[in-house]
């Protein structure tokens, strides 16, 4: 705690020697806190992250996916193709087969909020939380007592389903049951799953383009994200960056645009290409970077 400047708004740079108590001390002094969270905030709930060596992309059973040889090659080269807008337009099965356990798990309320989510909730209870920008689609943030208007689900949520073609909302419970009955299990966990996938069509337009209410790669973010960001950034005196590699744009702009003190809680330093400066060395799990108006962050 002694290494922290008392001026949380100034262009100070401080290092935290792996001390969560130092972060807690800083949080108590701040008045307006923003949070940018990623998959690491939900790993403790049993939900895999995306980009670690044991994450979803690294362990994806590509050969099990229902797709053409060309699509297999594209996915092997870049696993994020499975959640890309162009791929979904050409072949809905890859998306639904990858998302199957998450769709069913969400419908069954399989996962519960973690200590990270409870920290965000506590910040709200203390009157300090300005906004929670979550890149996660698991909906665990919505299990907290944080008001919905303080949570920006940047990439959407697994808790709703809609048609990508006509934008009609589908009943989520019915959609989950159709996923259970129509979509095969590429992870070989559910023995009752069908051996082959078959289409799930929209009740409004009849097209097989029903998906979760998530933002596919290649799709624009809702305008509300940019409007909130413009309002929030000048008002923050602290930004918590929790469990994210900061590689997905434009959501990583939250970290890039902030000119307040930023605390990165992660298992490795991230965001240097965005201008986050860690000094000569980094501290695992907890690192503090700070910047002021006109200075380097």
């Amino acid at each position: 705690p002694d290494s922290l400047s008392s001026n949380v708004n100034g262009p100070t740079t401080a290092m935290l020697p792996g001390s969560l108590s130092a972060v807690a001390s800083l949080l108590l002094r701040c008045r307006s806190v923003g949070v940018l969270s990623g998959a690491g905030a939900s790993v403790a709930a049993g939900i895999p992250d995306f980009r670690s060596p044991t994450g979803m992309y690294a362990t994806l059973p590509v050969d099990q996916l229902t797709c053409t040889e060309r699509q297999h090659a594209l996915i092997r080269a870049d696993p994020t193709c499975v959640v890309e807008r162009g791929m979904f337009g050409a072949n809905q099965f890859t998306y639904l087969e990858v998302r199957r356990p998450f769709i069913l798990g969400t419908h069954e309320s399989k996962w519960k909020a973690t200590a990270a989510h409870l920290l965000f909730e506590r910040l709200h209870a203390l009157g300090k939380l300005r906004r929670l920008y979550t890149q996660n689609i698991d909906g665990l943030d919505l299990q907290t007592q944080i008001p919905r208007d303080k949570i920006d689900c940047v990439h959407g949520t697994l808790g709703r389903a809609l048609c990508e073609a006509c934008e009609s909302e589908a009943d989520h419970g019915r959609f989950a049951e159709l996923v259970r009955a129509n979509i095969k299990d590429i992870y070989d966990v559910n023995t009752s799953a069908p051996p082959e996938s078959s289409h799930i069509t929209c009740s409004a337009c009849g097209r097989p383009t029903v998906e979760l209410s998530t933002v596919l790669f290649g799709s624009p973010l809702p305008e509300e994200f940019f409007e909130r960001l413009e309002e929030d950034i000048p008002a923050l005196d602290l930004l918590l960056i929790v469990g994210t590699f900061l590689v997905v744009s434009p959501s990583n702009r939250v970290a890039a645009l902030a000119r307040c003190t930023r605390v990165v809680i992660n298992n490795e330093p991230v965001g240097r290409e965005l201008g986050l400066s860690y000094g000569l060395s980094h501290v695992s799990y907890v690192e503090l970077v700070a910047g002021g108006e006109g200075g380097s962050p």
Side-chain angles (χ1 to χ4, degrees), residues 260-273:
C260 59
T261 301
R262 287 160 289 173
V263 172
V264 178
I265 302 176
N266 207 46
N267 60 3
E268 61 184 88
V270 294
R272 286 193 174 98
E273 67 281 4

Side-chain angles (χ1 to χ4, degrees), residues 43-220:
V43 168
I47 301 174
D49 63 34
F50 292 92
R51 291 177 173 80
S52 75
T54 58
M56 189 187 81
Y57 294 140
T59 60
L60 184 65
V62 177
D63 290 339
Q64 299 299 316
L65 291 169
T66 303
C67 56
T68 67
E69 290 184 12
R70 180 176 179 277
Q71 290 168 345
H72 273 131
L74 288 172
I75 296 168
R76 286 192 189 94
D78 181 6
T80 65
C81 284
V82 297
V83 290
E84 195 265 330
R85 186 179 185 183
M87 178 69 76
F88 184 81
N91 177 4
Q92 298 79 43
F93 291 140
T94 55
Y95 174 90
L96 293 173
E97 288 168 359
V98 168
R99 292 290 194 220
R100 186 182 195 273
F102 303 101
I103 295 169
L104 299 183
T106 301
H107 179 58
E108 297 163 359
S109 300
K110 178 178 179 180
W111 301 292
K112 305 300 180 186
T114 68
H117 301 101
L118 299 182
L119 168 63
F120 310 153
E121 182 179 64
R122 181 61 176 162
L123 289 173
H124 164 66
L126 292 172
K128 296 175 179 289
L129 183 67
R130 169 80 185 196
R131 192 91 62 194
L132 165 58
Y133 290 92
T134 177
Q135 300 172 91
N136 299 332
I137 60 174
D138 52 45
L140 298 188
D141 304 277
L142 304 179
Q143 294 181 9
T144 69
Q145 297 301 309
I146 302 172
R148 184 65 183 83
D149 63 353
K150 284 195 174 185
I151 302 175
D152 193 309
C153 297
V154 181
H155 298 145
T157 175
L158 294 173
R160 295 177 61 222
L162 52 75
C163 177
E164 182 74 12
C166 72
E167 299 185 351
S168 296
E169 185 159 356
D171 178 82
H172 186 270
R174 175 60 177 161
F175 174 64
E177 290 308 313
L178 288 172
V179 168
R180 188 188 306 277
N182 291 28
I183 304 301
K184 74 176 186 180
D185 177 16
I186 62 172
Y187 302 100
D188 294 326
V189 173
N190 191 336
T191 57
S192 64
E196 302 294 335
S197 294
S198 57
H199 285 301
I200 298 173
T201 57
C202 173
S203 60
C205 71
R207 299 178 189 178
T209 48
V210 182
E211 56 120 340
L212 299 166
S213 180
T214 58
V215 179
L216 299 171
F217 278 120
S219 299

